[in-house]
Amino acid sequence: MNAMRRNVLKGAGGFGALSVAVAAGLLKPTRVLADWNQSAFNATQKDAALSAIGGEGAESSDKITVKAPDIAENGAVVPVEITANLPGLESIAILSEKNTNPLVGLYKMTDTDGYLSTRIKMGATANVRAIVKAGGKTYTAAKEVKVTVGGCGG
Amino acid sequence: MSVPTKIRASMAGGAAEVKILMTHPMENGLRKGADGKLVQANFIRNVTITIAGKTYLDAQWGGGISKDPYLAFRAKGVKAGDKIVLAYEDNAGGKGSTEATVG
């Protein structure tokens, strides 16, 4: 009984501190629990998005393949497969370079074989670029996809 | 309440092939609705996938992920019967999780 009371008090104290941090503008409510790289996702230029994820100056690598259709008739659903054959893989980022917000997804990966498959929206014909961090270095590869009808609505 | 999420995880060549399909509008806030007004942004921002207590994938998404997000990858060092948990959070702080078993 007593232990439960302690827990309740602890919980209340924790919440209080959190509320203060939120009120002080240190934390936005939606960012309290999970990381989300707001500056990178809100960037409207490829270069700004790249620098926000530390991807500028990435080295081109033939160990990365970006598989996507040559022509996407519907930009709202473009299948993309990234395979990164690099030891010490840490993360893969996917950008559609001409989208209103070029950064599409950022994936931290542990003990995978470097394969990632997803479906993205593309606003216009552009390079789909992968930025891969592995073994403390940053690598990149890209593939151009021609988009017939853009799928971002912008 | 969690959005409907399908998880398939099957062993193939020493790794588990994990396939995820979530049901979500993934509105990026840039699209106009039938009334000509912008549809409010509503998209999943964070997805983590944990197998047998270890995080294999920790993803951040923007509004550029297609509606009804699909995701596949292969996890090493897991075995049939391991518990796989997907947890997500959207841009409005909505959260949920779904569990499955590696088959």
Side-chain angles (χ1 to χ4, degrees), chain A residues 30 33 35-37 41 76 104-113 115 117-121 152-153, chain B residues 26 28 30 45-46 54 56-66 68 70-74 76 89 95:
Chain A
T30 52
L33 292 166
D35 266 348
W36 194 68
N37 192 336
F41 280 103
V104 172
L106 186 56
Y107 303 80
K108 283 182 200 152
M109 302 169 84
T110 307
D111 284 343
T112 74
D113 68 356
Y115 165 83
S117 171
T118 188
R119 300 192 296 226
I120 68 168
K121 295 176 199 166
C152 284
Chain B
M26 294 301 284
N28 58 12
L30 304 168
R45 296 207 313 192
N46 292 93
K54 175 175 160 179
Y56 281 84
L57 190 108
D58 182 358
Q60 299 177 34
W61 287 350
I65 296 289
S66 299
D68 297 339
Y70 169 78
L71 167 69
F73 69 101
R74 289 190 281 260
K76 295 194 282 196
E89 188 170 332
K95 282 185 280 190

mmCIF file of all heavy atoms in Angstrom, chain A residues 30 33 35-37 41 76 104-113 115 117-121 152-153, chain B residues 26 28 30 45-46 54 56-66 68 70-74 76 89 95:
data_model
loop_
_atom_site.group_PDB
_atom_site.id
_atom_site.type_symbol
_atom_site.label_atom_id
_atom_site.label_comp_id
_atom_site.label_asym_id
_atom_site.label_seq_id
_atom_site.Cartn_x
_atom_site.Cartn_y
_atom_site.Cartn_z
ATOM 1 N N THR A 30 4.259 17.387 -28.463
ATOM 2 C CA THR A 30 4.287 16.207 -29.316
ATOM 3 C C THR A 30 5.697 15.632 -29.427
ATOM 4 O O THR A 30 5.888 14.587 -30.007
ATOM 5 C CB THR A 30 3.771 16.538 -30.724
ATOM 6 O OG1 THR A 30 4.501 17.656 -31.195
ATOM 7 C CG2 THR A 30 2.302 16.846 -30.697
ATOM 8 N N LEU A 33 8.033 12.417 -26.213
ATOM 9 C CA LEU A 33 8.338 11.000 -26.121
ATOM 10 C C LEU A 33 9.217 10.471 -27.241
ATOM 11 O O LEU A 33 9.979 9.554 -27.043
ATOM 12 C CB LEU A 33 7.030 10.204 -26.062
ATOM 13 C CG LEU A 33 6.284 10.461 -24.759
ATOM 14 C CD1 LEU A 33 4.876 9.960 -24.840
ATOM 15 C CD2 LEU A 33 7.017 9.829 -23.591
ATOM 16 N N ASP A 35 11.789 11.210 -30.769
ATOM 17 C CA ASP A 35 12.589 12.147 -31.557
ATOM 18 C C ASP A 35 11.982 12.335 -32.935
ATOM 19 O O ASP A 35 11.589 11.367 -33.569
ATOM 20 C CB ASP A 35 13.987 11.553 -31.757
ATOM 21 C CG ASP A 35 14.941 12.046 -30.694
ATOM 22 O OD1 ASP A 35 14.569 12.988 -29.975
ATOM 23 O OD2 ASP A 35 16.036 11.491 -30.610
ATOM 24 N N TRP A 36 11.926 13.554 -33.378
ATOM 25 C CA TRP A 36 11.517 13.810 -34.763
ATOM 26 C C TRP A 36 12.301 15.023 -35.232
ATOM 27 O O TRP A 36 12.221 16.083 -34.612
ATOM 28 C CB TRP A 36 10.009 14.060 -34.845
ATOM 29 C CG TRP A 36 9.482 14.004 -36.241
ATOM 30 C CD1 TRP A 36 9.388 12.904 -37.051
ATOM 31 C CD2 TRP A 36 8.950 15.091 -37.010
ATOM 32 N NE1 TRP A 36 8.839 13.243 -38.258
ATOM 33 C CE2 TRP A 36 8.558 14.565 -38.261
ATOM 34 C CE3 TRP A 36 8.767 16.454 -36.765
ATOM 35 C CZ2 TRP A 36 7.998 15.360 -39.266
ATOM 36 C CZ3 TRP A 36 8.212 17.226 -37.757
ATOM 37 C CH2 TRP A 36 7.818 16.691 -38.992
ATOM 38 N N ASN A 37 13.081 14.838 -36.289
ATOM 39 C CA ASN A 37 13.980 15.887 -36.747
ATOM 40 C C ASN A 37 13.204 16.941 -37.533
ATOM 41 O O ASN A 37 13.160 16.931 -38.757
ATOM 42 C CB ASN A 37 15.083 15.252 -37.609
ATOM 43 C CG ASN A 37 16.211 16.228 -37.878
ATOM 44 O OD1 ASN A 37 16.014 17.445 -37.834
ATOM 45 N ND2 ASN A 37 17.377 15.701 -38.164
ATOM 46 N N PHE A 41 12.755 17.580 -41.619
ATOM 47 C CA PHE A 41 11.515 17.234 -42.323
ATOM 48 C C PHE A 41 10.805 18.471 -42.864
ATOM 49 O O PHE A 41 10.089 18.396 -43.853
ATOM 50 C CB PHE A 41 10.581 16.420 -41.415
ATOM 51 C CG PHE A 41 10.956 14.980 -41.330
ATOM 52 C CD1 PHE A 41 11.613 14.477 -40.217
ATOM 53 C CD2 PHE A 41 10.692 14.108 -42.380
ATOM 54 C CE1 PHE A 41 11.983 13.140 -40.141
ATOM 55 C CE2 PHE A 41 11.052 12.777 -42.323
ATOM 56 C CZ PHE A 41 11.700 12.288 -41.201
ATOM 57 N N ALA A 76 1.611 9.506 -56.073
ATOM 58 C CA ALA A 76 1.164 9.328 -54.687
ATOM 59 C C ALA A 76 1.698 8.036 -54.083
ATOM 60 O O ALA A 76 1.797 7.921 -52.866
ATOM 61 C CB ALA A 76 -0.364 9.347 -54.608
ATOM 62 N N VAL A 104 11.803 12.324 -46.823
ATOM 63 C CA VAL A 104 10.612 11.481 -46.728
ATOM 64 C C VAL A 104 10.662 10.619 -45.468
ATOM 65 O O VAL A 104 9.696 10.522 -44.726
ATOM 66 C CB VAL A 104 10.492 10.603 -47.990
ATOM 67 C CG1 VAL A 104 9.387 9.573 -47.828
ATOM 68 C CG2 VAL A 104 10.244 11.465 -49.214
ATOM 69 N N GLY A 105 11.795 9.986 -45.239
ATOM 70 C CA GLY A 105 11.901 9.098 -44.082
ATOM 71 C C GLY A 105 13.343 8.939 -43.648
ATOM 72 O O GLY A 105 14.270 9.089 -44.445
ATOM 73 N N LEU A 106 13.494 8.667 -42.359
ATOM 74 C CA LEU A 106 14.815 8.502 -41.761
ATOM 75 C C LEU A 106 14.741 7.248 -40.894
ATOM 76 O O LEU A 106 13.905 7.178 -39.988
ATOM 77 C CB LEU A 106 15.100 9.741 -40.917
ATOM 78 C CG LEU A 106 16.438 9.963 -40.268
ATOM 79 C CD1 LEU A 106 17.555 9.941 -41.286
ATOM 80 C CD2 LEU A 106 16.431 11.323 -39.560
ATOM 81 N N TYR A 107 15.557 6.240 -41.213
ATOM 82 C CA TYR A 107 15.431 4.935 -40.568
ATOM 83 C C TYR A 107 16.732 4.570 -39.873
ATOM 84 O O TYR A 107 17.740 4.349 -40.538
ATOM 85 C CB TYR A 107 15.107 3.854 -41.607
ATOM 86 C CG TYR A 107 13.847 4.120 -42.408
ATOM 87 C CD1 TYR A 107 13.866 4.997 -43.484
ATOM 88 C CD2 TYR A 107 12.653 3.494 -42.094
ATOM 89 C CE1 TYR A 107 12.716 5.248 -44.217
ATOM 90 C CE2 TYR A 107 11.493 3.731 -42.833
ATOM 91 C CZ TYR A 107 11.538 4.614 -43.886
ATOM 92 O OH TYR A 107 10.400 4.866 -44.611
ATOM 93 N N LYS A 108 16.699 4.507 -38.549
ATOM 94 C CA LYS A 108 17.853 3.969 -37.815
ATOM 95 C C LYS A 108 17.686 2.464 -37.776
ATOM 96 O O LYS A 108 16.611 1.970 -37.416
ATOM 97 C CB LYS A 108 17.887 4.517 -36.392
ATOM 98 C CG LYS A 108 18.382 5.936 -36.322
ATOM 99 C CD LYS A 108 18.448 6.401 -34.875
ATOM 100 C CE LYS A 108 18.462 7.923 -34.845
ATOM 101 N NZ LYS A 108 17.883 8.469 -33.624
ATOM 102 N N MET A 109 18.732 1.742 -38.149
ATOM 103 C CA MET A 109 18.606 0.288 -38.254
ATOM 104 C C MET A 109 19.736 -0.411 -37.525
ATOM 105 O O MET A 109 20.880 0.013 -37.587
ATOM 106 C CB MET A 109 18.609 -0.114 -39.733
ATOM 107 C CG MET A 109 17.475 0.568 -40.498
ATOM 108 S SD MET A 109 17.593 0.402 -42.280
ATOM 109 C CE MET A 109 16.848 -1.187 -42.496
ATOM 110 N N THR A 110 19.399 -1.497 -36.828
ATOM 111 C CA THR A 110 20.388 -2.280 -36.097
ATOM 112 C C THR A 110 20.231 -3.747 -36.468
ATOM 113 O O THR A 110 19.116 -4.276 -36.420
ATOM 114 C CB THR A 110 20.178 -2.113 -34.577
ATOM 115 O OG1 THR A 110 20.157 -0.724 -34.276
ATOM 116 C CG2 THR A 110 21.305 -2.777 -33.799
ATOM 117 N N ASP A 111 21.332 -4.401 -36.832
ATOM 118 C CA ASP A 111 21.321 -5.833 -37.158
ATOM 119 C C ASP A 111 20.282 -6.214 -38.212
ATOM 120 O O ASP A 111 19.542 -7.187 -38.071
ATOM 121 C CB ASP A 111 21.110 -6.678 -35.886
ATOM 122 C CG ASP A 111 22.388 -6.756 -35.061
ATOM 123 O OD1 ASP A 111 23.459 -6.444 -35.632
ATOM 124 O OD2 ASP A 111 22.323 -7.104 -33.880
ATOM 125 N N THR A 112 20.254 -5.413 -39.274
ATOM 126 C CA THR A 112 19.452 -5.799 -40.430
ATOM 127 C C THR A 112 20.443 -6.133 -41.552
ATOM 128 O O THR A 112 21.641 -5.924 -41.403
ATOM 129 C CB THR A 112 18.532 -4.652 -40.896
ATOM 130 O OG1 THR A 112 19.328 -3.666 -41.548
ATOM 131 C CG2 THR A 112 17.785 -4.038 -39.728
ATOM 132 N N ASP A 113 19.930 -6.629 -42.676
ATOM 133 C CA ASP A 113 20.854 -6.926 -43.782
ATOM 134 C C ASP A 113 20.974 -5.754 -44.757
ATOM 135 O O ASP A 113 21.522 -5.901 -45.834
ATOM 136 C CB ASP A 113 20.447 -8.227 -44.487
ATOM 137 C CG ASP A 113 19.128 -8.073 -45.225
ATOM 138 O OD1 ASP A 113 18.500 -7.003 -45.122
ATOM 139 O OD2 ASP A 113 18.733 -9.035 -45.909
ATOM 140 N N TYR A 115 18.520 -4.014 -46.170
ATOM 141 C CA TYR A 115 17.421 -3.904 -47.138
ATOM 142 C C TYR A 115 16.265 -3.145 -46.500
ATOM 143 O O TYR A 115 15.924 -3.375 -45.342
ATOM 144 C CB TYR A 115 16.986 -5.318 -47.538
ATOM 145 C CG TYR A 115 15.649 -5.403 -48.241
ATOM 146 C CD1 TYR A 115 15.549 -5.160 -49.609
ATOM 147 C CD2 TYR A 115 14.489 -5.750 -47.538
ATOM 148 C CE1 TYR A 115 14.323 -5.257 -50.254
ATOM 149 C CE2 TYR A 115 13.266 -5.855 -48.187
ATOM 150 C CZ TYR A 115 13.192 -5.604 -49.536
ATOM 151 O OH TYR A 115 11.979 -5.699 -50.163
ATOM 152 N N SER A 117 12.338 -1.472 -47.780
ATOM 153 C CA SER A 117 11.368 -1.271 -48.850
ATOM 154 C C SER A 117 10.211 -0.444 -48.320
ATOM 155 O O SER A 117 9.730 -0.670 -47.205
ATOM 156 C CB SER A 117 10.874 -2.645 -49.322
ATOM 157 O OG SER A 117 9.794 -2.484 -50.206
ATOM 158 N N THR A 118 9.772 0.544 -49.107
ATOM 159 C CA THR A 118 8.655 1.377 -48.680
ATOM 160 C C THR A 118 7.964 1.981 -49.896
ATOM 161 O O THR A 118 8.317 1.650 -51.034
ATOM 162 C CB THR A 118 9.128 2.456 -47.685
ATOM 163 O OG1 THR A 118 7.993 3.138 -47.153
ATOM 164 C CG2 THR A 118 10.040 3.476 -48.339
ATOM 165 N N ARG A 119 6.974 2.812 -49.663
ATOM 166 C CA ARG A 119 6.275 3.498 -50.754
ATOM 167 C C ARG A 119 6.216 4.978 -50.402
ATOM 168 O O ARG A 119 5.820 5.333 -49.294
ATOM 169 C CB ARG A 119 4.852 2.942 -50.914
ATOM 170 C CG ARG A 119 4.844 1.455 -51.226
ATOM 171 C CD ARG A 119 3.497 0.961 -51.672
ATOM 172 N NE ARG A 119 2.474 1.077 -50.667
ATOM 173 C CZ ARG A 119 1.605 0.097 -50.366
ATOM 174 N NH1 ARG A 119 1.658 -1.046 -50.984
ATOM 175 N NH2 ARG A 119 0.688 0.302 -49.452
ATOM 176 N N ILE A 120 6.625 5.814 -51.359
ATOM 177 C CA ILE A 120 6.703 7.249 -51.071
ATOM 178 C C ILE A 120 5.850 8.061 -52.054
ATOM 179 O O ILE A 120 5.449 7.574 -53.102
ATOM 180 C CB ILE A 120 8.168 7.758 -51.104
ATOM 181 C CG1 ILE A 120 8.751 7.717 -52.517
ATOM 182 C CG2 ILE A 120 9.038 6.941 -50.143
ATOM 183 C CD1 ILE A 120 10.071 8.453 -52.669
ATOM 184 N N LYS A 121 5.617 9.334 -51.650
ATOM 185 C CA LYS A 121 4.931 10.273 -52.541
ATOM 186 C C LYS A 121 5.996 11.092 -53.270
ATOM 187 O O LYS A 121 6.998 11.494 -52.665
ATOM 188 C CB LYS A 121 4.073 11.246 -51.730
ATOM 189 C CG LYS A 121 2.931 10.606 -50.985
ATOM 190 C CD LYS A 121 2.220 11.660 -50.138
ATOM 191 C CE LYS A 121 1.397 11.002 -49.048
ATOM 192 N NZ LYS A 121 0.974 11.963 -48.018
ATOM 193 N N CYS A 152 1.735 14.916 -54.322
ATOM 194 C CA CYS A 152 1.903 15.581 -53.032
ATOM 195 C C CYS A 152 0.817 16.593 -52.787
ATOM 196 O O CYS A 152 0.685 17.128 -51.702
ATOM 197 C CB CYS A 152 3.274 16.260 -52.926
ATOM 198 S SG CYS A 152 4.575 15.077 -52.632
ATOM 199 N N GLY A 153 0.038 16.912 -53.818
ATOM 200 C CA GLY A 153 -1.089 17.818 -53.638
ATOM 201 C C GLY A 153 -0.696 19.281 -53.580
ATOM 202 O O GLY A 153 -1.537 20.150 -53.613
ATOM 203 N N MET B 26 -2.059 9.525 -43.835
ATOM 204 C CA MET B 26 -0.779 10.198 -44.102
ATOM 205 C C MET B 26 -0.992 11.529 -44.851
ATOM 206 O O MET B 26 -0.400 11.786 -45.900
ATOM 207 C CB MET B 26 0.174 9.281 -44.876
ATOM 208 C CG MET B 26 0.628 8.065 -44.100
ATOM 209 S SD MET B 26 1.503 8.397 -42.544
ATOM 210 C CE MET B 26 3.129 8.896 -43.117
ATOM 211 N N ASN B 28 -0.273 15.175 -45.633
ATOM 212 C CA ASN B 28 0.922 15.990 -45.405
ATOM 213 C C ASN B 28 0.603 17.463 -45.152
ATOM 214 O O ASN B 28 1.504 18.271 -44.931
ATOM 215 C CB ASN B 28 1.897 15.847 -46.579
ATOM 216 C CG ASN B 28 1.282 16.237 -47.907
ATOM 217 O OD1 ASN B 28 0.202 16.815 -47.953
ATOM 218 N ND2 ASN B 28 1.974 15.932 -48.987
ATOM 219 N N LEU B 30 -0.591 19.510 -47.333
ATOM 220 C CA LEU B 30 -0.393 20.287 -48.562
ATOM 221 C C LEU B 30 -1.501 20.036 -49.583
ATOM 222 O O LEU B 30 -1.584 20.698 -50.602
ATOM 223 C CB LEU B 30 0.947 19.914 -49.215
ATOM 224 C CG LEU B 30 2.194 20.067 -48.353
ATOM 225 C CD1 LEU B 30 3.383 19.402 -49.019
ATOM 226 C CD2 LEU B 30 2.482 21.540 -48.109
ATOM 227 N N ARG B 45 4.662 9.970 -37.428
ATOM 228 C CA ARG B 45 6.015 10.538 -37.418
ATOM 229 C C ARG B 45 7.058 9.558 -36.924
ATOM 230 O O ARG B 45 8.236 9.681 -37.264
ATOM 231 C CB ARG B 45 6.052 11.773 -36.508
ATOM 232 C CG ARG B 45 5.194 12.907 -36.991
ATOM 233 C CD ARG B 45 5.664 14.254 -36.553
ATOM 234 N NE ARG B 45 5.998 14.358 -35.135
ATOM 235 C CZ ARG B 45 6.215 15.527 -34.531
ATOM 236 N NH1 ARG B 45 6.096 16.644 -35.207
ATOM 237 N NH2 ARG B 45 6.537 15.557 -33.268
ATOM 238 N N ASN B 46 6.666 8.669 -36.035
ATOM 239 C CA ASN B 46 7.652 7.759 -35.448
ATOM 240 C C ASN B 46 7.120 6.336 -35.467
ATOM 241 O O ASN B 46 5.977 6.098 -35.093
ATOM 242 C CB ASN B 46 7.941 8.135 -33.989
ATOM 243 C CG ASN B 46 8.665 9.452 -33.875
ATOM 244 O OD1 ASN B 46 8.029 10.481 -33.727
ATOM 245 N ND2 ASN B 46 9.974 9.450 -33.973
ATOM 246 N N LYS B 54 14.566 -6.138 -28.471
ATOM 247 C CA LYS B 54 15.647 -5.335 -29.057
ATOM 248 C C LYS B 54 15.099 -4.506 -30.223
ATOM 249 O O LYS B 54 14.351 -5.017 -31.058
ATOM 250 C CB LYS B 54 16.737 -6.285 -29.569
ATOM 251 C CG LYS B 54 17.860 -5.591 -30.297
ATOM 252 C CD LYS B 54 18.940 -6.601 -30.645
ATOM 253 C CE LYS B 54 19.808 -6.088 -31.752
ATOM 254 N NZ LYS B 54 20.863 -7.038 -32.096
ATOM 255 N N TYR B 56 15.154 -2.980 -33.655
ATOM 256 C CA TYR B 56 15.833 -3.182 -34.941
ATOM 257 C C TYR B 56 15.654 -1.999 -35.866
ATOM 258 O O TYR B 56 16.506 -1.716 -36.696
ATOM 259 C CB TYR B 56 15.301 -4.453 -35.636
ATOM 260 C CG TYR B 56 15.893 -5.704 -35.077
ATOM 261 C CD1 TYR B 56 15.367 -6.297 -33.930
ATOM 262 C CD2 TYR B 56 17.017 -6.288 -35.654
ATOM 263 C CE1 TYR B 56 15.933 -7.433 -33.384
ATOM 264 C CE2 TYR B 56 17.587 -7.431 -35.117
ATOM 265 C CZ TYR B 56 17.040 -7.998 -33.989
ATOM 266 O OH TYR B 56 17.615 -9.113 -33.458
ATOM 267 N N LEU B 57 14.522 -1.325 -35.745
ATOM 268 C CA LEU B 57 14.246 -0.219 -36.643
ATOM 269 C C LEU B 57 13.577 0.902 -35.853
ATOM 270 O O LEU B 57 12.640 0.664 -35.101
ATOM 271 C CB LEU B 57 13.311 -0.685 -37.770
ATOM 272 C CG LEU B 57 13.164 0.331 -38.890
ATOM 273 C CD1 LEU B 57 13.899 -0.153 -40.131
ATOM 274 C CD2 LEU B 57 11.723 0.574 -39.212
ATOM 275 N N ASP B 58 14.116 2.104 -36.044
ATOM 276 C CA ASP B 58 13.579 3.281 -35.361
ATOM 277 C C ASP B 58 13.436 4.337 -36.451
ATOM 278 O O ASP B 58 14.420 4.926 -36.881
ATOM 279 C CB ASP B 58 14.564 3.708 -34.266
ATOM 280 C CG ASP B 58 14.064 4.905 -33.474
ATOM 281 O OD1 ASP B 58 12.982 5.421 -33.791
ATOM 282 O OD2 ASP B 58 14.780 5.318 -32.544
ATOM 283 N N ALA B 59 12.208 4.517 -36.935
ATOM 284 C CA ALA B 59 12.000 5.351 -38.112
ATOM 285 C C ALA B 59 11.323 6.662 -37.769
ATOM 286 O O ALA B 59 10.490 6.723 -36.865
ATOM 287 C CB ALA B 59 11.151 4.599 -39.131
ATOM 288 N N GLN B 60 11.721 7.707 -38.496
ATOM 289 C CA GLN B 60 11.017 8.988 -38.457
ATOM 290 C C GLN B 60 10.454 9.198 -39.853
ATOM 291 O O GLN B 60 11.173 9.047 -40.832
ATOM 292 C CB GLN B 60 11.986 10.123 -38.118
ATOM 293 C CG GLN B 60 12.652 9.980 -36.758
ATOM 294 C CD GLN B 60 13.656 11.102 -36.495
ATOM 295 O OE1 GLN B 60 13.470 12.233 -36.915
ATOM 296 N NE2 GLN B 60 14.728 10.763 -35.798
ATOM 297 N N TRP B 61 9.181 9.544 -39.923
ATOM 298 C CA TRP B 61 8.533 9.750 -41.217
ATOM 299 C C TRP B 61 8.050 11.182 -41.364
ATOM 300 O O TRP B 61 7.638 11.816 -40.407
ATOM 301 C CB TRP B 61 7.316 8.833 -41.343
ATOM 302 C CG TRP B 61 7.642 7.395 -41.545
ATOM 303 C CD1 TRP B 61 8.878 6.853 -41.808
ATOM 304 C CD2 TRP B 61 6.725 6.279 -41.506
ATOM 305 N NE1 TRP B 61 8.763 5.487 -41.938
ATOM 306 C CE2 TRP B 61 7.460 5.113 -41.757
ATOM 307 C CE3 TRP B 61 5.358 6.192 -41.297
ATOM 308 C CZ2 TRP B 61 6.868 3.854 -41.798
ATOM 309 C CZ3 TRP B 61 4.770 4.934 -41.329
ATOM 310 C CH2 TRP B 61 5.523 3.779 -41.589
ATOM 311 N N GLY B 62 8.063 11.647 -42.619
ATOM 312 C CA GLY B 62 7.433 12.911 -42.950
ATOM 313 C C GLY B 62 6.125 12.631 -43.676
ATOM 314 O O GLY B 62 5.717 11.471 -43.821
ATOM 315 N N GLY B 63 5.499 13.691 -44.190
ATOM 316 C CA GLY B 63 4.255 13.517 -44.925
ATOM 317 C C GLY B 63 4.469 12.928 -46.310
ATOM 318 O O GLY B 63 3.518 12.744 -47.061
ATOM 319 N N GLY B 64 5.709 12.642 -46.666
ATOM 320 C CA GLY B 64 6.028 12.089 -47.982
ATOM 321 C C GLY B 64 5.942 10.582 -48.058
ATOM 322 O O GLY B 64 6.188 9.988 -49.113
ATOM 323 N N ILE B 65 5.600 9.941 -46.952
ATOM 324 C CA ILE B 65 5.335 8.496 -46.983
ATOM 325 C C ILE B 65 3.897 8.316 -47.483
ATOM 326 O O ILE B 65 2.993 9.025 -47.043
ATOM 327 C CB ILE B 65 5.503 7.883 -45.563
ATOM 328 C CG1 ILE B 65 6.953 8.016 -45.067
ATOM 329 C CG2 ILE B 65 5.037 6.428 -45.531
ATOM 330 C CD1 ILE B 65 7.957 7.132 -45.770
ATOM 331 N N SER B 66 3.712 7.372 -48.392
ATOM 332 C CA SER B 66 2.398 7.187 -49.008
ATOM 333 C C SER B 66 1.328 6.806 -47.984
ATOM 334 O O SER B 66 1.631 6.213 -46.948
ATOM 335 C CB SER B 66 2.453 6.106 -50.080
ATOM 336 O OG SER B 66 3.348 6.488 -51.088
ATOM 337 N N ASP B 68 -1.481 4.737 -46.218
ATOM 338 C CA ASP B 68 -1.412 3.320 -45.832
ATOM 339 C C ASP B 68 0.027 2.810 -45.933
ATOM 340 O O ASP B 68 0.367 2.008 -46.811
ATOM 341 C CB ASP B 68 -2.364 2.453 -46.680
ATOM 342 C CG ASP B 68 -3.819 2.850 -46.472
ATOM 343 O OD1 ASP B 68 -4.112 3.476 -45.435
ATOM 344 O OD2 ASP B 68 -4.637 2.552 -47.340
ATOM 345 N N TYR B 70 3.610 1.247 -46.100
ATOM 346 C CA TYR B 70 4.161 -0.100 -46.238
ATOM 347 C C TYR B 70 5.646 -0.015 -45.922
ATOM 348 O O TYR B 70 6.320 0.938 -46.301
ATOM 349 C CB TYR B 70 3.962 -0.606 -47.666
ATOM 350 C CG TYR B 70 4.725 -1.869 -47.968
ATOM 351 C CD1 TYR B 70 4.249 -3.101 -47.518
ATOM 352 C CD2 TYR B 70 5.919 -1.842 -48.674
ATOM 353 C CE1 TYR B 70 4.953 -4.265 -47.772
ATOM 354 C CE2 TYR B 70 6.626 -3.005 -48.941
ATOM 355 C CZ TYR B 70 6.137 -4.217 -48.485
ATOM 356 O OH TYR B 70 6.837 -5.368 -48.734
ATOM 357 N N LEU B 71 6.137 -1.026 -45.224
ATOM 358 C CA LEU B 71 7.542 -1.034 -44.839
ATOM 359 C C LEU B 71 8.002 -2.482 -44.754
ATOM 360 O O LEU B 71 7.291 -3.331 -44.216
ATOM 361 C CB LEU B 71 7.676 -0.361 -43.467
ATOM 362 C CG LEU B 71 8.988 -0.500 -42.705
ATOM 363 C CD1 LEU B 71 10.096 0.267 -43.411
ATOM 364 C CD2 LEU B 71 8.825 0.034 -41.293
ATOM 365 N N ALA B 72 9.163 -2.762 -45.325
ATOM 366 C CA ALA B 72 9.715 -4.106 -45.190
ATOM 367 C C ALA B 72 11.214 -4.017 -44.955
ATOM 368 O O ALA B 72 11.889 -3.122 -45.481
ATOM 369 C CB ALA B 72 9.430 -4.942 -46.439
ATOM 370 N N PHE B 73 11.734 -4.917 -44.130
ATOM 371 C CA PHE B 73 13.178 -5.017 -43.899
ATOM 372 C C PHE B 73 13.462 -6.425 -43.385
ATOM 373 O O PHE B 73 12.543 -7.218 -43.185
ATOM 374 C CB PHE B 73 13.659 -3.945 -42.905
ATOM 375 C CG PHE B 73 13.185 -4.154 -41.492
ATOM 376 C CD1 PHE B 73 14.030 -4.716 -40.523
ATOM 377 C CD2 PHE B 73 11.906 -3.797 -41.117
ATOM 378 C CE1 PHE B 73 13.592 -4.918 -39.227
ATOM 379 C CE2 PHE B 73 11.467 -3.998 -39.812
ATOM 380 C CZ PHE B 73 12.304 -4.549 -38.873
ATOM 381 N N ARG B 74 14.761 -6.744 -43.213
ATOM 382 C CA ARG B 74 15.109 -8.078 -42.723
ATOM 383 C C ARG B 74 15.966 -7.957 -41.454
ATOM 384 O O ARG B 74 16.976 -7.249 -41.450
ATOM 385 C CB ARG B 74 15.846 -8.865 -43.812
ATOM 386 C CG ARG B 74 14.911 -9.271 -44.959
ATOM 387 C CD ARG B 74 15.562 -10.238 -45.917
ATOM 388 N NE ARG B 74 16.462 -9.573 -46.838
ATOM 389 C CZ ARG B 74 16.148 -9.247 -48.100
ATOM 390 N NH1 ARG B 74 14.963 -9.535 -48.591
ATOM 391 N NH2 ARG B 74 17.033 -8.654 -48.868
ATOM 392 N N LYS B 76 18.301 -9.671 -38.498
ATOM 393 C CA LYS B 76 19.174 -10.826 -38.258
ATOM 394 C C LYS B 76 19.164 -11.198 -36.766
ATOM 395 O O LYS B 76 18.902 -10.367 -35.909
ATOM 396 C CB LYS B 76 20.604 -10.495 -38.698
ATOM 397 C CG LYS B 76 20.706 -10.255 -40.202
ATOM 398 C CD LYS B 76 22.138 -10.260 -40.678
ATOM 399 C CE LYS B 76 22.839 -8.951 -40.368
ATOM 400 N NZ LYS B 76 24.078 -8.778 -41.130
ATOM 401 N N GLU B 89 3.773 6.842 -33.283
ATOM 402 C CA GLU B 89 3.237 8.096 -32.746
ATOM 403 C C GLU B 89 2.990 9.029 -33.923
ATOM 404 O O GLU B 89 3.810 9.098 -34.844
ATOM 405 C CB GLU B 89 4.256 8.708 -31.776
ATOM 406 C CG GLU B 89 3.703 9.900 -31.022
ATOM 407 C CD GLU B 89 4.627 10.357 -29.886
ATOM 408 O OE1 GLU B 89 5.379 9.528 -29.340
ATOM 409 O OE2 GLU B 89 4.590 11.554 -29.577
ATOM 410 N N LYS B 95 -0.959 7.775 -30.308
ATOM 411 C CA LYS B 95 -0.018 6.662 -30.221
ATOM 412 C C LYS B 95 -0.744 5.333 -30.286
ATOM 413 O O LYS B 95 -1.932 5.253 -29.993
ATOM 414 C CB LYS B 95 0.724 6.711 -28.878
ATOM 415 C CG LYS B 95 1.821 7.739 -28.838
ATOM 416 C CD LYS B 95 2.581 7.656 -27.545
ATOM 417 C CE LYS B 95 1.815 8.361 -26.433
ATOM 418 N NZ LYS B 95 2.636 8.492 -25.228
#
